[in-house]
Amino acid sequence: MDRSLVFAAILFGLLLLMPFLLPLFGSEYLIGLIIKAMLLAIAAISLDLLIGHGGMVSLGHAAFVGVGAYATAIGLENGIENILLLLVITLAVTGFVALVTGSLALRTSGVYFLMITLAFGQMTYFTLTSLAAYGGDDGLTLWSLATLFGSDIVQSGSGLYFLVLGTLFATWWGVFQISRSRFGRVLRAARDNPERAEVMGYAVTRYRLIAYLIAAMIAGVSGLLLVQHAEFVSPALATWQRSGDLIVVVVLGGLGSRNGAILGAFFIVIIEEVLGSFVHEWRLIYGPVLVLMVLFAKGGIADLFVSKDAKGRAA
């Protein structure tokens, strides 16, 4: 069996057991930390679909996390509490924003694509800061959260944990299936040689736009769940620095690998927590650690767990 799938099964098995094991040791705080890592992993997997499979480096992907979070928060402020209805609203809003920005951004490629996504991301950020009715620069604290058919099971505790875990698994499995499909193969062909893909009769821009839409809507869902977890929303979610953090997670974990985005997310969250507990200026240590990881694990963290043959099959 493919080693990457075995590793994923072990990883998700451990995550499934954590809510039952950690409270026995009085470590309920770690549950919140794991939820934070899983939310980061969901957004990172969506970005990996663009970068790892499509070769589209976006520096504005966090904008969709912010749009999804604000769509949820505004819905809650207006009395919409059913999480399924909020999910539909979030997908519709992020999908619309992605359709508009993607249709324009995909007229470019390479560094120009990166710059135009950066511009759209900053436009989104400043749009969110202008929403004075919803906190403006200061953000918005939410006094009510989404419910599931009137039940508060998805608001906190194990209910929220398993909701986030289920979303993470669905995202991982969905992107995995996309990568194995004809759509995924065309997307990678367009990444490696777009001219040849066009000559073979594939509408490269259309394939890329669909991938862009899928990635944006997944990021929007992570924003919805972030609202449930943090009970707070802020324009800072949409900054280009957050997009840069997502790129670091994807590259560090392993571009285009099945488990790289998850491993990268957990590595970043854990090392930030560990270093931050000892050193105030923890980024002074964090930077060299990332450099060492890139130098000695050039295929990302996933390269440490998957053989070269398995990586080839995963691609």
Side-chain angles (χ1 to χ4, degrees):
M1 182 182 288
D2 192 327
R3 285 178 58 186
S4 63
L5 290 179
V6 173
F7 182 80
I10 295 172
L11 178 60
F12 280 108
L14 289 173
L15 290 175
L16 194 62
L17 292 174
M18 285 301 173
F20 306 104
L21 296 177
L22 290 180
L24 298 177
F25 302 97
S27 303
E28 294 187 11
Y29 167 73
L30 293 178
I31 296 294
L33 200 63
I34 294 173
I35 291 177
K36 179 181 176 181
M38 289 193 295
L39 290 171
L40 180 61
I42 292 170
I45 290 173
S46 68
L47 181 59
D48 189 45
L49 178 63
L50 291 183
I51 300 179
H53 297 279
M56 297 174 280
V57 182
S58 171
L59 201 53
H61 197 65
F64 297 116
V65 178
V67 169
Y70 267 87
T72 302
I74 292 172
L76 287 168
E77 286 292 293
N78 286 277
I80 302 173
E81 295 187 348
N82 189 312
I83 195 168
L84 298 179
L85 183 55
L86 288 170
L87 175 63
V88 172
I89 293 172
T90 298
L91 292 175
V93 173
T94 52
F96 174 75
V97 174
L99 181 62
V100 173
T101 59
S103 298
L104 296 173
L106 289 170
R107 295 173 182 268
T108 65
S109 60
V111 68
Y112 301 104
F113 178 82
L114 184 147
M115 293 304 295
I116 198 170
T117 54
L118 170 62
F120 282 132
Q122 288 301 96
M123 287 169 60
T124 302
Y125 166 72
F126 286 114
T127 299
L128 297 179
T129 61
S130 69
L131 299 177
Y134 300 101
D137 277 331
D138 297 325
L140 177 67
T141 299
L142 298 168
W143 302 106
S144 63
L145 296 175
T147 61
L148 181 62
F149 301 114
S151 170
D152 62 356
I153 191 172
V154 295
Q155 292 185 357
S156 61
S158 59
L160 177 61
Y161 180 92
F162 287 119
L163 175 63
V164 175
L165 177 58
T167 305
L168 174 61
F169 178 77
T171 301
W172 175 86
W173 182 255
V175 173
F176 170 48
Q177 292 300 320
I178 288 173
S179 69
R180 296 178 62 191
S181 67
R182 177 176 177 270
F183 177 87
R185 292 193 293 271
V186 173
L187 196 60
R188 287 193 296 276
R191 174 198 65 190
D192 297 335
N193 195 326
E195 292 80 10
R196 180 176 294 179
E198 288 278 7
V199 170
M200 293 176 66
Y202 295 109
V204 169
T205 301
R206 185 177 66 187
Y207 277 88
R208 286 176 169 171
L209 181 58
I210 293 172
Y212 190 87
L213 287 171
I214 294 172
M217 288 190 286
I218 294 173
V221 172
S222 74
L224 183 156
L225 296 174
L226 186 61
V227 168
Q228 284 290 96
H229 175 58
E231 302 180 19
F232 177 77
V233 66
S234 166
L237 294 173
T239 60
W240 69 268
Q241 291 93 334
R242 289 296 184 97
S243 296
D245 289 340
L246 288 176
I247 293 176
V248 170
V249 169
V250 171
V251 174
L252 188 62
L255 284 172
S257 59
R258 289 176 185 166
N259 305 312
I262 300 177
L263 293 171
F266 273 87
F267 179 85
I268 293 294
V269 170
I270 291 171
I271 198 170
E272 177 181 339
E273 187 69 18
V274 171
L275 292 178
S277 63
F278 292 104
V279 184
H280 179 66
E281 298 296 339
W282 60 271
R283 288 186 182 271
L284 292 175
I285 302 174
Y286 172 74
V289 169
L290 292 184
V291 172
L292 291 174
M293 288 297 301
V294 171
L295 289 176
F296 295 101
K298 295 183 179 180
I301 299 174
D303 193 46
L304 303 176
F305 296 94
V306 183
S307 66
K308 291 183 179 180
D309 291 338
K311 278 181 64 186
R313 290 193 298 271

